[in-house]
C-alpha cells in the first residue's frame, strides 16, 4: 500500500510517498481504509529526530511512518464484538504509534468510534488527535466551568479546537496566536485574540485556567493563575528537552498550582464524545489545506514555517 515514509531523521524533505506491505490485522483488530489523516505538531519533532527517546520506543526502525489519526471506512470489522460492520464510517487514532498517513490501518476497536454523520471524511480527519486532546485538557484535567477565564497559549491544531470547546463550556477565552491569525481565532469564538510576538505574559492578566500548547517559558504563564487556578501543559521545549522535562516532572508533583501534563492515548468513549460534540455543532474541523499523500513534505514544511489556520490534512483516497 502507499504510505508516507522517511528513511532518516531530518528536515521535511526526508518525507516521501512510498510503498509498504498492507497491515496484518491481528485477531480482533479492525481493518480501516483511510480516507485522510492529519499532520500534528508533535510529528514534526519526531521526524526531525528531536524526540528520539520517544519515537525510538514508538516502533520499528527506518523507514519510519507518519500520521497519528485518521478518518475512513471499515473494510474488515475483525469480529462481531467490535460493533462495527464493513462500510461503516469511522475515525480514530493509532495506539501510541505513527502510520495513519497510509491506505490502510489495522487497530483495536477501542481506538475507533463512528465518524460524525454528515461530515466529509477528509474534513473529519482534522479532528481526532487534536479534538480528543482538547477534551482531555479542558474537561478532564482543567475541569473548566462556565464563566471561568481561560488562556489558550497557541491557537494552532489543538488550540483551535480548545477555543471552540471552551466557548461551548461557557468560558471566557483569550487566545494567543500569530498576528495574521488573530481574526481567524476570533472567528472561532475567542473573546480576545492576542499576538504572541508582541504581548508577553506580564500584559495578559489573570486566568482560572491556562492551556499551554507551546512548552517554553512555562513558569511565567503559570504565574498568571488566579487562586484556585489550573494549568494544563501538553508540550515541552524540544530545544531544552532535559530542563523542560524536569520542570514538568517537578511542577506536576510539587507546588500550590501543580501543572497537569498528559500524553494523550484516547479510547473509544473519548473518541465517541468527540463525535457527539462535532455532531452537536460545538466543534467543527478547521482545515487550512488538503494535501495529496505525495505532498507530505510540503505539509510538514508549511506547519514548520507557521501561520497555519487549524490543520493540514493528507488525503489518501
Ligand atoms: N501531550 C499530548 O497528549 C499532546 C497532544 C497533541 C499535541 N501535543 C503537543 O502540543 C504541541 C502543539 O501541537 P499542535 O498540533 O497544536 O501544533 P500546531 O498546530 O503547530 O500549533 C502550535 C501553535 O502554537 C503557536 N505558537 C508558536 N509559538 C508560540 C508562542 N511563543 N506563543 C503562542 N503561540 C505560539 C503557533 O502559531 P504560529 O504557527 O502562527 O507560529 C501554532 O498556531 C506540540 O508540541 C505537540 O507535540 C501534545
Amino acid at each position: 500500500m502507499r504510505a508516507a515514509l522517511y528513511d532518516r531523521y531530518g528536515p521535511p524533505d526526508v518525507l516521501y510517498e512510498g510503498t509498504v506491505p498492507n497491515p496484518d490485522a491481528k485477531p480482533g483488530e479492525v481493518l480501516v481504509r483511510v480516507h485522510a489523516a492529519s499532520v500534528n505538531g508533535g510529528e514534526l519533532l519526531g521526524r526531525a529526530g528531536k524526540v528520539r527517546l520517544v519515537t525510538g520506543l514508538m516502533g520499528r526502525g527506518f523507514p519510519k511512518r507518519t500520521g497519528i489519526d485518521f478518518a475512513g471506512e471499515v473494510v474488515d470489522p475483525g469480529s462481531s464484538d467490535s460493533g462495527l460492520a464493513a462500510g461503516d464510517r469511522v475515525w480514530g487514532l493509532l495506539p501510541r504509534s505513527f502510520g495513519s498517513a497510509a491506505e490502510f490501518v489495522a487497530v483495536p476497536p477501542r481506538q475507533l468510534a463512528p465518524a460524525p454523520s454528515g461530515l466529509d471524511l477528509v474534513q473529519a480527519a482534522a479532528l481526532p488527535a487534536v479534538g480528543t486532546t482538547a477534551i482531555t485538557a479542558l474537561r478532564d484535567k482543567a475541569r473548566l466551568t462556565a464563566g471561568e477565564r481561560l488562556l489558550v497559549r497557541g491557537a494552532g491544531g489543538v488550540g483551535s479546537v480548545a477555543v471552540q470547546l471552551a466557548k461551548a463550556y461557557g468560558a471566557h477565552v483569550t487566545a494567543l496566536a500569530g498576528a495574521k491569525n488573530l481574526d481567524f481565532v476570533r472567528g472561532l469564538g475567542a473573546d480576545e485574540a492576542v499576538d504572541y510576538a508582541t504581548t508577553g505574559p506580564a500584559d495578559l492578566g489573570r486566568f482560572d485556567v491556562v492551556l499551554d500548547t507551546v512548552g517554553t517559558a512555562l513558569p511565567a504563564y503559570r504565574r498568571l493563575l488566579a487562586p484556585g487556578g489550573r494549568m494544563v501543559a501538553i508540550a515541552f521545549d524540544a530545544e531544552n528537552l532535559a530542563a523542560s522535562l524536569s520542570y514538568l516532572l517537578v511542577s506536576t508533583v510539587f507546588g500550590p498550582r501543580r501543572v497537569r501534563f498528559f500524553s494523550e492515548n484516547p479510547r473509544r468513549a473519548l473518541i465517541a464524545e468527540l463525535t457527539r460534540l462535532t455532531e452537536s455543532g460545538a466543534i467543527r474541523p478547521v482545515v487550512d489545506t488538503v494535501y495529496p499523500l505525495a505532498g507530505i513534505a510540503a505539509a510538514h514544511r508549511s506547519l514548520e514555517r507557521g501561520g497555519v489556520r487549524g490543520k493540514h490534512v493528507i488525503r489518501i483516497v
Side-chain angles (χ1 to χ4, degrees), residues 226-292:
R230 292 86 70 203
M231 178 163 186
V232 182
I234 62 163
F236 45 79
D237 180 359
E239 304 303 329
N240 299 291
L241 196 54
S244 175
L245 289 178
S246 10
Y247 175 77
L248 277 171
L249 197 65
V250 172
S251 62
T252 54
V253 181
F254 298 109
R257 292 167 200 150
R258 286 183 301 127
V259 176
R260 281 99 163 147
F261 182 81
F262 65 94
S263 174
E264 188 60 286
N265 186 23
R267 296 297 163 85
R268 181 176 275 203
L270 181 54
I271 306 169
E273 173 65 0
L274 182 65
T275 306
R276 191 190 69 73
L277 286 162
T278 310
E279 287 181 341
S280 76
I283 292 174
R284 64 178 170 88
V286 183
V287 177
D288 182 301
T289 306
V290 178
Y291 291 84

Coordinates of all heavy atoms in Angstrom, one line a residue, residues 226-292:
A226 N -5.0 32.6 38.7 CA -5.7 33.2 39.9 C -5.7 32.1 41.0 O -5.5 30.9 40.7 CB -7.1 33.5 39.4
P227 N -6.1 32.5 42.2 CA -6.2 31.5 43.3 C -7.2 30.4 42.8 O -8.2 30.7 42.2 CB -6.8 32.3 44.5 CG -6.3 33.7 44.2 CD -6.3 33.8 42.7
G228 N -6.8 29.1 43.0 CA -7.6 28.0 42.6 C -7.4 27.7 41.1 O -8.1 26.8 40.6
G229 N -6.5 28.4 40.4 CA -6.3 28.2 39.0 C -5.6 26.9 38.7 O -4.9 26.3 39.5
R230 N -5.8 26.4 37.4 CA -5.2 25.2 37.0 C -4.5 25.5 35.6 O -5.0 26.1 34.8 CB -6.3 24.1 36.7 CG -7.0 23.6 37.9 CD -8.2 24.4 38.3 NE -9.3 24.3 37.5 CZ -10.3 25.2 37.3 NH1 -10.2 26.3 38.1 NH2 -11.3 25.0 36.5
M231 N -3.3 24.8 35.5 CA -2.6 24.9 34.3 C -2.4 23.5 33.7 O -2.0 22.6 34.3 CB -1.2 25.5 34.5 CG -0.3 25.6 33.2 SD 1.1 26.7 33.5 CE 1.7 26.8 31.8
V232 N -2.8 23.5 32.4 CA -2.6 22.2 31.7 C -1.6 22.4 30.6 O -1.7 23.3 29.8 CB -3.9 21.7 31.1 CG1 -3.7 20.4 30.4 CG2 -5.0 21.6 32.1
A233 N -0.5 21.6 30.6 CA 0.6 21.7 29.6 C 0.6 20.5 28.8 O 0.5 19.4 29.3 CB 1.9 21.9 30.3
I234 N 0.6 20.6 27.4 CA 0.7 19.4 26.6 C 2.0 19.3 25.8 O 2.2 18.3 25.1 CB -0.5 19.4 25.6 CG1 -0.5 20.5 24.7 CG2 -1.8 19.2 26.4 CD1 -1.4 20.3 23.5
A235 N 2.8 20.4 25.8 CA 4.0 20.4 25.0 C 5.2 20.6 25.9 O 5.1 21.1 27.0 CB 3.9 21.4 24.0
F236 N 6.4 20.3 25.4 CA 7.6 20.6 26.1 C 8.6 21.3 25.2 O 8.3 21.4 23.9 CB 8.3 19.4 26.7 CG 8.3 18.2 25.7 CD1 9.3 18.1 24.7 CD2 7.4 17.2 25.8 CE1 9.3 17.1 23.8 CE2 7.4 16.1 24.9 CZ 8.4 16.1 23.9
D237 N 9.6 21.9 25.7 CA 10.5 22.7 24.9 C 11.6 21.8 24.3 O 12.5 21.4 25.0 CB 11.2 23.8 25.8 CG 12.2 24.7 25.1 OD1 12.4 24.4 23.9 OD2 12.7 25.6 25.7
A238 N 11.5 21.4 23.0 CA 12.4 20.4 22.4 C 13.8 20.9 22.3 O 14.7 20.1 22.3 CB 11.8 20.1 21.1
E239 N 14.0 22.2 22.4 CA 15.4 22.8 22.3 C 16.1 22.6 23.6 O 17.3 22.7 23.7 CB 15.4 24.2 21.8 CG 14.6 24.5 20.5 CD 15.2 23.6 19.3 OE1 16.4 23.4 19.3 OE2 14.4 23.3 18.4
N240 N 15.3 22.6 24.7 CA 15.9 22.4 26.0 C 15.2 21.2 26.7 O 14.5 21.4 27.8 CB 15.7 23.7 26.9 CG 16.4 24.9 26.2 OD1 17.6 24.9 26.2 ND2 15.6 25.8 25.7
L241 N 15.3 20.1 26.1 CA 14.5 18.9 26.5 C 14.7 18.5 27.9 O 13.7 18.4 28.7 CB 14.8 17.8 25.5 CG 13.8 16.6 25.5 CD1 12.4 17.1 25.2 CD2 14.3 15.6 24.5
A242 N 15.9 18.4 28.4 CA 16.1 17.9 29.7 C 15.6 18.9 30.8 O 14.8 18.4 31.7 CB 17.6 17.7 30.0
A243 N 15.9 20.2 30.6 CA 15.4 21.2 31.6 C 13.9 21.2 31.5 O 13.2 21.3 32.6 CB 16.0 22.5 31.2
S244 N 13.3 21.2 30.3 CA 11.8 21.3 30.2 C 11.1 20.1 30.8 O 10.2 20.2 31.5 CB 11.5 21.4 28.7 OG 10.2 21.4 28.5
L245 N 11.7 18.9 30.5 CA 11.0 17.7 31.1 C 11.2 17.7 32.6 O 10.2 17.3 33.4 CB 11.6 16.4 30.5 CG 11.2 16.2 29.0 CD1 11.9 14.9 28.5 CD2 9.7 16.1 28.9
S246 N 12.3 18.1 33.2 CA 12.5 18.1 34.6 C 11.5 19.1 35.3 O 10.9 18.9 36.3 CB 13.9 18.3 35.1 OG 14.7 18.7 34.2
Y247 N 11.3 20.3 34.6 CA 10.4 21.3 35.2 C 9.0 20.7 35.2 O 8.3 20.8 36.2 CB 10.4 22.6 34.3 CG 9.3 23.6 34.9 CD1 9.5 24.3 36.0 CD2 8.1 23.7 34.2 CE1 8.6 25.1 36.5 CE2 7.1 24.5 34.7 CZ 7.3 25.3 35.9 OH 6.4 26.1 36.3
L248 N 8.6 20.1 34.1 CA 7.3 19.5 34.0 C 7.1 18.4 35.1 O 6.1 18.4 35.8 CB 7.0 18.9 32.6 CG 6.6 19.8 31.6 CD1 6.6 19.2 30.2 CD2 5.2 20.4 31.9
L249 N 8.1 17.6 35.2 CA 8.0 16.5 36.2 C 7.8 17.0 37.6 O 7.0 16.6 38.4 CB 9.3 15.7 36.1 CG 9.3 14.3 36.8 CD1 8.3 13.4 36.0 CD2 10.7 13.7 36.8
V250 N 8.7 18.0 38.0 CA 8.6 18.6 39.3 C 7.3 19.4 39.5 O 6.6 19.2 40.5 CB 9.8 19.5 39.6 CG1 9.7 20.3 40.9 CG2 11.1 18.7 39.6
S251 N 6.9 20.2 38.5 CA 5.7 21.0 38.7 C 4.4 20.2 38.7 O 3.4 20.7 39.1 CB 5.7 22.1 37.6 OG 5.6 21.5 36.4
T252 N 4.5 19.0 38.2 CA 3.2 18.2 38.2 C 3.1 17.6 39.6 O 2.0 17.1 39.9 CB 3.2 17.1 37.2 OG1 4.4 16.3 37.3 CG2 3.1 17.6 35.8
V253 N 4.1 17.6 40.4 CA 4.1 16.9 41.7 C 4.1 17.9 42.9 O 3.4 17.8 43.8 CB 5.3 16.0 41.9 CG1 5.2 15.3 43.2 CG2 5.3 14.9 40.7
F254 N 4.9 19.0 42.7 CA 5.0 20.0 43.8 C 4.4 21.3 43.5 O 4.2 21.7 42.3 CB 6.5 20.2 44.1 CG 7.2 18.9 44.6 CD1 8.1 18.3 43.7 CD2 6.9 18.4 45.8 CE1 8.8 17.1 44.1 CE2 7.6 17.2 46.2 CZ 8.5 16.6 45.4
G255 N 4.2 22.1 44.5 CA 3.8 23.5 44.3 C 2.3 23.7 44.5 O 1.5 22.7 44.4
P256 N 1.9 24.9 44.8 CA 0.5 25.2 45.1 C -0.4 25.0 43.9 O -1.6 24.7 44.0 CB 0.5 26.6 45.6 CG 1.7 27.2 45.1 CD 2.7 26.1 44.9
R257 N 0.1 25.3 42.7 CA -0.7 25.1 41.5 C 0.0 24.2 40.6 O 0.7 24.5 39.6 CB -0.8 26.5 40.8 CG -1.6 27.4 41.7 CD -1.5 28.9 41.2 NE -1.9 29.8 42.2 CZ -1.4 31.0 42.4 NH1 -0.5 31.4 41.6 NH2 -1.8 31.7 43.4
R258 N -0.2 22.9 40.9 CA 0.5 21.9 40.1 C 0.1 21.9 38.6 O -1.1 22.1 38.3 CB 0.2 20.5 40.7 CG 0.9 20.2 42.0 CD 0.7 18.8 42.5 NE -0.7 18.6 42.7 CZ -1.4 17.5 42.2 NH1 -0.8 16.7 41.5 NH2 -2.7 17.4 42.5
V259 N 1.1 21.7 37.7 CA 0.8 21.7 36.3 C 0.3 20.3 36.0 O 0.8 19.3 36.4 CB 2.1 22.0 35.5 CG1 1.8 21.9 34.0 CG2 2.6 23.4 35.8
R260 N -0.8 20.2 35.2 CA -1.3 18.9 34.7 C -0.7 18.7 33.3 O -1.0 19.5 32.4 CB -2.8 18.9 34.6 CG -3.5 18.7 35.9 CD -4.0 20.0 36.4 NE -5.1 19.9 37.4 CZ -5.2 20.6 38.5 NH1 -4.4 21.7 38.7 NH2 -6.2 20.4 39.3
F261 N 0.1 17.7 33.2 CA 0.7 17.3 31.9 C 0.2 15.9 31.6 O 0.1 15.0 32.5 CB 2.2 17.3 32.0 CG 2.9 17.0 30.7 CD1 3.1 17.9 29.7 CD2 3.4 15.7 30.4 CE1 3.7 17.6 28.5 CE2 4.0 15.3 29.2 CZ 4.1 16.3 28.2
F262 N -0.1 15.6 30.4 CA -0.5 14.3 30.0 C -0.1 14.0 28.6 O 0.2 14.9 27.8 CB -2.1 14.1 30.1 CG -2.8 15.0 29.2 CD1 -3.3 14.5 27.9 CD2 -3.1 16.3 29.5 CE1 -3.9 15.3 27.0 CE2 -3.8 17.1 28.6 CZ -4.2 16.6 27.4
S263 N 0.0 12.7 28.3 CA 0.2 12.3 26.9 C -1.0 11.5 26.5 O -1.3 10.4 27.0 CB 1.5 11.4 26.9 OG 1.7 10.9 25.7
E264 N -1.7 12.1 25.5 CA -3.0 11.5 25.1 C -2.9 10.1 24.5 O -2.0 9.9 23.6 CB -3.6 12.5 24.1 CG -5.1 12.2 23.8 CD -5.9 12.2 25.0 OE1 -5.9 11.3 25.8 OE2 -6.7 13.2 25.1
N265 N -3.8 9.2 24.9 CA -3.9 7.9 24.3 C -5.4 7.6 24.4 O -5.8 6.7 25.2 CB -3.1 6.9 25.1 CG -3.1 5.6 24.4 OD1 -3.4 5.4 23.2 ND2 -2.8 4.5 25.1
P266 N -6.2 8.2 23.6 CA -7.7 8.2 23.8 C -8.3 6.8 23.5 O -7.8 6.1 22.6 CB -8.2 9.2 22.9 CG -7.2 9.4 21.8 CD -5.9 9.1 22.4
R267 N -9.3 6.5 24.1 CA -10.1 5.3 23.9 C -11.5 5.6 23.4 O -11.8 6.8 23.3 CB -10.2 4.5 25.2 CG -8.8 4.0 25.7 CD -8.2 3.1 24.7 NE -6.7 2.9 24.9 CZ -6.2 2.0 25.7 NH1 -7.0 1.3 26.5 NH2 -4.9 1.9 25.9
R268 N -12.2 4.6 23.1 CA -13.5 4.8 22.3 C -14.4 5.8 23.0 O -15.0 6.6 22.3 CB -14.2 3.4 22.2 CG -15.5 3.6 21.4 CD -16.2 2.3 21.1 NE -15.7 1.6 19.9 CZ -16.3 0.8 19.2 NH1 -17.5 0.4 19.6 NH2 -15.8 0.2 18.2
A269 N -14.6 5.8 24.3 CA -15.5 6.7 24.9 C -15.2 8.2 24.6 O -16.0 9.0 24.4 CB -15.6 6.5 26.4
L270 N -13.9 8.4 24.7 CA -13.4 9.8 24.4 C -13.6 10.2 22.9 O -14.0 11.3 22.6 CB -11.9 9.9 24.8 CG -11.3 11.3 24.7 CD1 -12.1 12.4 25.4 CD2 -9.9 11.3 25.2
I271 N -13.3 9.2 22.0 CA -13.4 9.5 20.6 C -14.9 9.7 20.3 O -15.3 10.5 19.5 CB -12.8 8.4 19.8 CG1 -11.3 8.2 20.2 CG2 -12.8 8.7 18.3 CD1 -10.7 6.9 19.6
A272 N -15.8 8.9 21.0 CA -17.2 9.0 20.8 C -17.7 10.3 21.3 O -18.7 10.9 20.7 CB -17.9 7.8 21.5
E273 N -17.1 10.8 22.4 CA -17.5 12.2 22.9 C -17.2 13.2 21.8 O -17.9 14.2 21.6 CB -16.8 12.4 24.2 CG -17.0 13.9 24.8 CD -18.4 14.2 25.1 OE1 -19.3 13.4 25.0 OE2 -18.6 15.4 25.6
L274 N -16.0 13.0 21.1 CA -15.7 14.0 20.1 C -16.7 13.9 18.9 O -17.1 14.9 18.4 CB -14.3 13.6 19.5 CG -13.7 14.5 18.4 CD1 -13.5 15.9 18.9 CD2 -12.4 14.0 17.8
T275 N -17.2 12.7 18.6 CA -18.2 12.6 17.6 C -19.5 13.3 18.1 O -20.1 14.1 17.3 CB -18.6 11.1 17.4 OG1 -17.4 10.3 17.2 CG2 -19.6 10.9 16.3
R276 N -19.8 13.2 19.3 CA -21.0 13.8 19.8 C -20.9 15.4 19.8 O -21.8 16.1 19.3 CB -21.3 13.4 21.3 CG -22.6 13.8 21.9 CD -22.7 13.6 23.4 NE -21.9 14.5 24.1 CZ -22.1 15.8 24.3 NH1 -23.2 16.3 23.8 NH2 -21.3 16.5 25.0
L277 N -19.8 15.9 20.2 CA -19.5 17.3 20.2 C -19.5 17.9 18.8 O -19.9 19.0 18.5 CB -18.2 17.7 20.9 CG -18.2 17.5 22.4 CD1 -16.8 17.4 23.0 CD2 -19.0 18.7 23.0
T278 N -19.0 17.1 17.8 CA -19.0 17.5 16.4 C -20.4 17.5 15.8 O -20.8 18.5 15.2 CB -18.0 16.7 15.6 OG1 -16.8 16.6 16.3 CG2 -17.8 17.3 14.2
E279 N -21.1 16.5 16.1 CA -22.5 16.4 15.6 C -23.4 17.5 16.2 O -24.3 18.0 15.5 CB -23.1 15.0 15.8 CG -22.5 13.9 14.9 CD -23.0 12.5 15.1 OE1 -23.7 12.3 16.2 OE2 -22.9 11.7 14.2
S280 N -23.1 17.8 17.4 CA -23.9 18.9 18.1 C -23.6 20.3 17.6 O -24.3 21.3 17.9 CB -23.8 18.9 19.6 OG -22.5 19.4 19.9
G281 N -22.5 20.4 16.9 CA -22.0 21.7 16.3 C -21.1 22.5 17.3 O -20.7 23.6 17.0
A282 N -20.8 21.9 18.4 CA -20.0 22.6 19.4 C -18.5 22.7 18.8 O -17.8 23.7 19.1 CB -19.9 21.8 20.7
I283 N -18.1 21.7 18.0 CA -16.8 21.7 17.4 C -16.9 21.5 15.9 O -17.7 20.7 15.5 CB -16.0 20.6 18.0 CG1 -15.6 20.8 19.5 CG2 -14.7 20.4 17.2 CD1 -14.9 19.6 20.1
R284 N -16.2 22.2 15.2 CA -16.1 21.9 13.7 C -14.6 21.8 13.3 O -13.8 22.4 13.9 CB -16.8 23.0 12.9 CG -16.1 24.3 13.0 CD -16.8 25.4 12.1 NE -16.3 26.7 12.4 CZ -15.3 27.2 11.8 NH1 -14.6 26.6 10.9 NH2 -14.9 28.5 12.1
P285 N -14.4 20.9 12.3 CA -13.0 20.8 11.9 C -12.6 22.1 11.2 O -13.4 22.7 10.5 CB -13.0 19.6 10.9 CG -14.4 19.5 10.5 CD -15.3 20.0 11.6
V286 N -11.3 22.5 11.4 CA -10.8 23.7 10.7 C -9.6 23.2 9.9 O -8.6 22.9 10.4 CB -10.4 24.7 11.7 CG1 -9.9 26.0 11.0 CG2 -11.5 25.0 12.7
V287 N -9.9 23.2 8.6 CA -8.8 22.7 7.6 C -8.2 23.8 6.9 O -8.9 24.6 6.2 CB -9.4 21.6 6.7 CG1 -8.4 21.2 5.7 CG2 -10.0 20.5 7.4
D288 N -6.9 24.0 7.1 CA -6.2 25.0 6.3 C -6.0 24.5 4.9 O -6.5 25.1 3.9 CB -4.8 25.3 7.0 CG -4.0 26.4 6.3 OD1 -3.7 26.2 5.1 OD2 -3.7 27.4 6.9
T289 N -5.3 23.4 4.7 CA -5.0 22.9 3.3 C -5.1 21.4 3.3 O -4.7 20.7 4.2 CB -3.6 23.3 2.9 OG1 -3.5 24.7 3.1 CG2 -3.3 22.9 1.5
V290 N -5.7 20.8 2.2 CA -5.7 19.4 2.0 C -4.6 19.1 1.0 O -4.5 19.7 -0.1 CB -7.0 18.9 1.4 CG1 -7.0 17.4 1.1 CG2 -8.2 19.3 2.4
Y291 N -3.6 18.2 1.4 CA -2.5 17.8 0.5 C -2.7 16.4 0.0 O -3.3 15.6 0.8 CB -1.2 17.8 1.3 CG -0.7 19.2 1.7 CD1 -1.2 19.8 2.8 CD2 0.2 19.9 0.9 CE1 -0.7 21.1 3.2 CE2 0.7 21.1 1.3 CZ 0.2 21.7 2.4 OH 0.7 23.0 2.8
P292 N -2.2 16.0 -1.1 CA -2.2 14.6 -1.5 C -1.1 13.9 -0.7 O -0.2 14.6 -0.1 CB -1.8 14.7 -3.0 CG -1.0 15.9 -3.2 CD -1.6 16.9 -2.2

